[in-house]
Amino acid sequence: MGGLASVLAPIAFVNEAALRLGRAVGVVAIALMVIAILTQVFFRYVLGNALPWPDEAARFCMLWMTGLMAPTAFRRGGFVAIDMLQRFLPRVVGQTLNIFLLLVSLAVLLVAVTIGWSEVTGFGGKFATAALYLPTSFGFDEWYRIPRSWMMASLLVGIVLLISVNIELILRSFITMLGGGHLLPEIPDAAVGAE
């Protein structure tokens, strides 16, 4: 059990640091998404002249917010789960079922990495977004069209973070099944928007 705990410690540390940064960036993405949507509402319904970029900017922010915050929800048990069966089973059998389900999730996530990678590097990733541009000069006279791959990289980053969290949860489940659950540090549960 000590070996598993020593393997778990650095993974948990890296996950906590990466997910803390992800939550901070995710909060910024939510704020930018709200600003883009409110801008579009104002221009479309008050001025009667819809802008081309806010919809795409909001989608960009939403994808990154999801990719960066979903691993935190997974780590804290925030995903929807049906755990009635596990609660009615004997402790060891329930924990074995939990480990099995985490292993199935890991297999799905490993397949999803290839899908995420192909979205970033494949045919679709070679195109640029329709209306998102970044200024490339201080005079705002040169602009760079944001590649679609930047948007789809959120999928790949989110999946990699989910894999890391999944491995941590598998190790935690093994340690708990072996009777060392009381030795595991709690997964901190920050208030929404607070760090």
Side-chain angles (χ1 to χ4, degrees):
M1 187 167 24
L4 284 176
S6 63
V7 170
L8 174 66
I11 294 172
F13 176 79
V14 168
N15 281 345
E16 184 57 36
L19 297 183
R20 182 179 295 122
L21 176 63
R23 288 190 301 273
V25 174
V27 167
V28 171
I30 290 172
L32 293 174
M33 181 175 64
V34 169
I35 290 168
I37 291 169
L38 291 176
T39 301
Q40 182 71 317
V41 167
F42 177 76
F43 274 84
R44 176 174 286 167
Y45 296 109
V46 176
L47 300 180
N49 187 15
L51 297 172
W53 61 267
D55 294 336
E56 203 160 27
R59 187 169 38 256
F60 188 95
C61 291
M62 181 191 66
L63 287 170
W64 273 101
M65 178 269 305
T66 303
L68 294 171
M69 289 193 165
T72 294
F74 185 39
R75 188 170 188 242
R76 294 179 179 172
F79 283 173
V80 174
I82 301 171
D83 57 358
M84 287 186 323
L85 179 62
Q86 183 182 351
R87 290 182 185 183
F88 286 119
L89 293 173
R91 185 182 69 83
V92 174
V93 176
Q95 290 172 342
T96 303
L97 175 64
N98 186 46
I99 291 170
F100 172 74
L101 294 174
L102 286 170
L103 289 171
V104 170
S105 298
L106 181 61
V108 170
L109 288 169
L110 290 173
V111 171
V113 167
T114 60
I115 296 169
W117 182 253
S118 68
E119 285 294 323
V120 173
T121 61
F123 182 70
K126 298 189 185 324
F127 293 102
T129 56
L132 289 181
Y133 292 86
L134 278 178
T136 57
S137 68
F138 290 115
F140 296 105
D141 55 346
E142 295 178 26
W143 294 81
Y144 175 71
R145 225 165 126 183
I146 295 177
R148 184 178 175 272
S149 60
W150 291 11
M151 188 182 303
M152 299 315 294
S154 63
L155 174 67
L156 183 61
V157 169
I159 291 168
V160 169
L161 290 172
L162 284 168
I163 288 171
S164 181
V165 168
N166 192 298
I167 291 168
E168 177 188 356
L169 294 176
I170 289 170
L171 290 172
R172 284 178 168 273
S173 296
F174 269 121
I175 292 170
T176 302
M177 189 169 70
L178 296 174
H182 63 284
L183 301 173
L184 295 173
E186 287 288 320
I187 294 175
D189 193 17
V192 175
E195 291 299 319

PDB file of all heavy atoms in Angstrom, residues 1 4 14 16 26-27 48 50 65 104 118 126 134 138 141 164:
ATOM      1  N   MET A   1       0.824  -1.194   0.000  1.00  0.00           N
ATOM      2  CA  MET A   1       0.000   0.000   0.000  1.00  0.00           C
ATOM      3  C   MET A   1       0.866   1.255   0.000  1.00  0.00           C
ATOM      4  O   MET A   1       0.500   2.264  -0.592  1.00  0.00           O
ATOM      5  CB  MET A   1      -0.935  -0.013   1.213  1.00  0.00           C
ATOM      6  CG  MET A   1      -1.926   1.085   1.186  1.00  0.00           C
ATOM      7  SD  MET A   1      -3.290   0.952   2.349  1.00  0.00           S
ATOM      8  CE  MET A   1      -2.733  -0.064   3.646  1.00  0.00           C
ATOM      9  N   LEU A   4       1.789   2.153  -3.578  1.00  0.00           N
ATOM     10  CA  LEU A   4       0.704   2.820  -4.301  1.00  0.00           C
ATOM     11  C   LEU A   4       0.558   4.267  -3.846  1.00  0.00           C
ATOM     12  O   LEU A   4       0.329   5.164  -4.659  1.00  0.00           O
ATOM     13  CB  LEU A   4      -0.616   2.077  -4.085  1.00  0.00           C
ATOM     14  CG  LEU A   4      -0.806   0.775  -4.856  1.00  0.00           C
ATOM     15  CD1 LEU A   4      -2.115   0.114  -4.469  1.00  0.00           C
ATOM     16  CD2 LEU A   4      -0.759   1.019  -6.350  1.00  0.00           C
ATOM     17  N   VAL A  14       0.278  16.987  -9.122  1.00  0.00           N
ATOM     18  CA  VAL A  14       0.234  17.555 -10.473  1.00  0.00           C
ATOM     19  C   VAL A  14      -1.213  17.845 -10.872  1.00  0.00           C
ATOM     20  O   VAL A  14      -1.507  18.902 -11.438  1.00  0.00           O
ATOM     21  CB  VAL A  14       0.919  16.609 -11.485  1.00  0.00           C
ATOM     22  CG1 VAL A  14       0.629  17.024 -12.916  1.00  0.00           C
ATOM     23  CG2 VAL A  14       2.412  16.561 -11.227  1.00  0.00           C
ATOM     24  N   GLU A  16      -3.774  18.491  -8.901  1.00  0.00           N
ATOM     25  CA  GLU A  16      -4.296  19.638  -8.151  1.00  0.00           C
ATOM     26  C   GLU A  16      -3.777  20.944  -8.733  1.00  0.00           C
ATOM     27  O   GLU A  16      -4.530  21.901  -8.906  1.00  0.00           O
ATOM     28  CB  GLU A  16      -3.922  19.521  -6.672  1.00  0.00           C
ATOM     29  CG  GLU A  16      -4.505  20.610  -5.806  1.00  0.00           C
ATOM     30  CD  GLU A  16      -6.016  20.708  -5.872  1.00  0.00           C
ATOM     31  OE1 GLU A  16      -6.696  19.681  -5.972  1.00  0.00           O
ATOM     32  OE2 GLU A  16      -6.531  21.846  -5.840  1.00  0.00           O
ATOM     33  N   GLY A  26     -10.658  28.708 -16.847  1.00  0.00           N
ATOM     34  CA  GLY A  26     -12.063  28.437 -17.143  1.00  0.00           C
ATOM     35  C   GLY A  26     -12.979  29.560 -16.686  1.00  0.00           C
ATOM     36  O   GLY A  26     -13.940  29.916 -17.375  1.00  0.00           O
ATOM     37  N   VAL A  27     -12.691  30.139 -15.530  1.00  0.00           N
ATOM     38  CA  VAL A  27     -13.491  31.268 -15.035  1.00  0.00           C
ATOM     39  C   VAL A  27     -13.330  32.462 -15.974  1.00  0.00           C
ATOM     40  O   VAL A  27     -14.308  33.148 -16.295  1.00  0.00           O
ATOM     41  CB  VAL A  27     -13.095  31.621 -13.581  1.00  0.00           C
ATOM     42  CG1 VAL A  27     -13.666  32.960 -13.164  1.00  0.00           C
ATOM     43  CG2 VAL A  27     -13.561  30.528 -12.631  1.00  0.00           C
ATOM     44  N   GLY A  48     -29.601  46.678 -34.028  1.00  0.00           N
ATOM     45  CA  GLY A  48     -30.118  46.041 -35.243  1.00  0.00           C
ATOM     46  C   GLY A  48     -29.044  45.680 -36.247  1.00  0.00           C
ATOM     47  O   GLY A  48     -29.310  45.600 -37.443  1.00  0.00           O
ATOM     48  N   ALA A  50     -26.106  42.796 -36.276  1.00  0.00           N
ATOM     49  CA  ALA A  50     -25.374  41.704 -35.630  1.00  0.00           C
ATOM     50  C   ALA A  50     -23.931  41.670 -36.094  1.00  0.00           C
ATOM     51  O   ALA A  50     -23.626  41.882 -37.259  1.00  0.00           O
ATOM     52  CB  ALA A  50     -26.053  40.382 -35.929  1.00  0.00           C
ATOM     53  N   MET A  65     -13.592  26.355 -21.669  1.00  0.00           N
ATOM     54  CA  MET A  65     -14.095  26.261 -20.292  1.00  0.00           C
ATOM     55  C   MET A  65     -14.461  24.814 -19.966  1.00  0.00           C
ATOM     56  O   MET A  65     -14.112  24.298 -18.908  1.00  0.00           O
ATOM     57  CB  MET A  65     -15.315  27.179 -20.134  1.00  0.00           C
ATOM     58  CG  MET A  65     -15.967  27.154 -18.771  1.00  0.00           C
ATOM     59  SD  MET A  65     -17.298  25.951 -18.556  1.00  0.00           S
ATOM     60  CE  MET A  65     -18.408  26.335 -19.867  1.00  0.00           C
ATOM     61  N   VAL A 104     -12.862   1.057 -17.488  1.00  0.00           N
ATOM     62  CA  VAL A 104     -13.623   1.221 -18.735  1.00  0.00           C
ATOM     63  C   VAL A 104     -13.554   2.674 -19.185  1.00  0.00           C
ATOM     64  O   VAL A 104     -13.344   2.968 -20.373  1.00  0.00           O
ATOM     65  CB  VAL A 104     -15.085   0.746 -18.557  1.00  0.00           C
ATOM     66  CG1 VAL A 104     -15.942   1.142 -19.743  1.00  0.00           C
ATOM     67  CG2 VAL A 104     -15.139  -0.758 -18.338  1.00  0.00           C
ATOM     68  N   SER A 118      -6.715  13.897 -33.822  1.00  0.00           N
ATOM     69  CA  SER A 118      -7.075  14.036 -35.236  1.00  0.00           C
ATOM     70  C   SER A 118      -7.875  15.309 -35.485  1.00  0.00           C
ATOM     71  O   SER A 118      -7.787  15.888 -36.572  1.00  0.00           O
ATOM     72  CB  SER A 118      -7.861  12.813 -35.719  1.00  0.00           C
ATOM     73  OG  SER A 118      -9.128  12.763 -35.108  1.00  0.00           O
ATOM     74  N   LYS A 126      -6.945  22.141 -40.162  1.00  0.00           N
ATOM     75  CA  LYS A 126      -6.161  22.967 -41.084  1.00  0.00           C
ATOM     76  C   LYS A 126      -6.909  24.236 -41.506  1.00  0.00           C
ATOM     77  O   LYS A 126      -6.326  25.145 -42.068  1.00  0.00           O
ATOM     78  CB  LYS A 126      -5.761  22.154 -42.307  1.00  0.00           C
ATOM     79  CG  LYS A 126      -4.874  20.977 -41.942  1.00  0.00           C
ATOM     80  CD  LYS A 126      -4.317  20.302 -43.144  1.00  0.00           C
ATOM     81  CE  LYS A 126      -3.537  19.064 -42.845  1.00  0.00           C
ATOM     82  NZ  LYS A 126      -2.745  19.005 -41.672  1.00  0.00           N
ATOM     83  N   LEU A 134      -6.885  37.698 -34.595  1.00  0.00           N
ATOM     84  CA  LEU A 134      -6.008  38.291 -33.588  1.00  0.00           C
ATOM     85  C   LEU A 134      -5.163  39.370 -34.256  1.00  0.00           C
ATOM     86  O   LEU A 134      -4.640  39.147 -35.360  1.00  0.00           O
ATOM     87  CB  LEU A 134      -5.058  37.240 -33.009  1.00  0.00           C
ATOM     88  CG  LEU A 134      -5.568  36.345 -31.904  1.00  0.00           C
ATOM     89  CD1 LEU A 134      -4.486  35.347 -31.521  1.00  0.00           C
ATOM     90  CD2 LEU A 134      -5.980  37.155 -30.707  1.00  0.00           C
ATOM     91  N   PHE A 138       0.722  46.370 -33.382  1.00  0.00           N
ATOM     92  CA  PHE A 138       0.192  47.324 -32.398  1.00  0.00           C
ATOM     93  C   PHE A 138      -0.717  48.368 -33.031  1.00  0.00           C
ATOM     94  O   PHE A 138      -1.535  48.973 -32.366  1.00  0.00           O
ATOM     95  CB  PHE A 138       1.339  48.011 -31.643  1.00  0.00           C
ATOM     96  CG  PHE A 138       2.059  47.091 -30.707  1.00  0.00           C
ATOM     97  CD1 PHE A 138       3.379  46.767 -30.927  1.00  0.00           C
ATOM     98  CD2 PHE A 138       1.400  46.541 -29.616  1.00  0.00           C
ATOM     99  CE1 PHE A 138       4.047  45.903 -30.061  1.00  0.00           C
ATOM    100  CE2 PHE A 138       2.055  45.682 -28.751  1.00  0.00           C
ATOM    101  CZ  PHE A 138       3.386  45.362 -28.977  1.00  0.00           C
ATOM    102  N   ASP A 141      -3.386  47.025 -37.833  1.00  0.00           N
ATOM    103  CA  ASP A 141      -3.561  47.036 -39.283  1.00  0.00           C
ATOM    104  C   ASP A 141      -3.260  45.667 -39.908  1.00  0.00           C
ATOM    105  O   ASP A 141      -3.507  45.463 -41.090  1.00  0.00           O
ATOM    106  CB  ASP A 141      -2.691  48.121 -39.922  1.00  0.00           C
ATOM    107  CG  ASP A 141      -1.221  48.002 -39.546  1.00  0.00           C
ATOM    108  OD1 ASP A 141      -0.917  47.261 -38.602  1.00  0.00           O
ATOM    109  OD2 ASP A 141      -0.384  48.667 -40.195  1.00  0.00           O
ATOM    110  N   SER A 164      -5.464  11.830 -16.640  1.00  0.00           N
ATOM    111  CA  SER A 164      -4.647  11.987 -15.440  1.00  0.00           C
ATOM    112  C   SER A 164      -5.491  11.852 -14.176  1.00  0.00           C
ATOM    113  O   SER A 164      -5.105  11.176 -13.212  1.00  0.00           O
ATOM    114  CB  SER A 164      -3.943  13.336 -15.481  1.00  0.00           C
ATOM    115  OG  SER A 164      -3.127  13.512 -14.358  1.00  0.00           O
TER     116      SER A 164
END
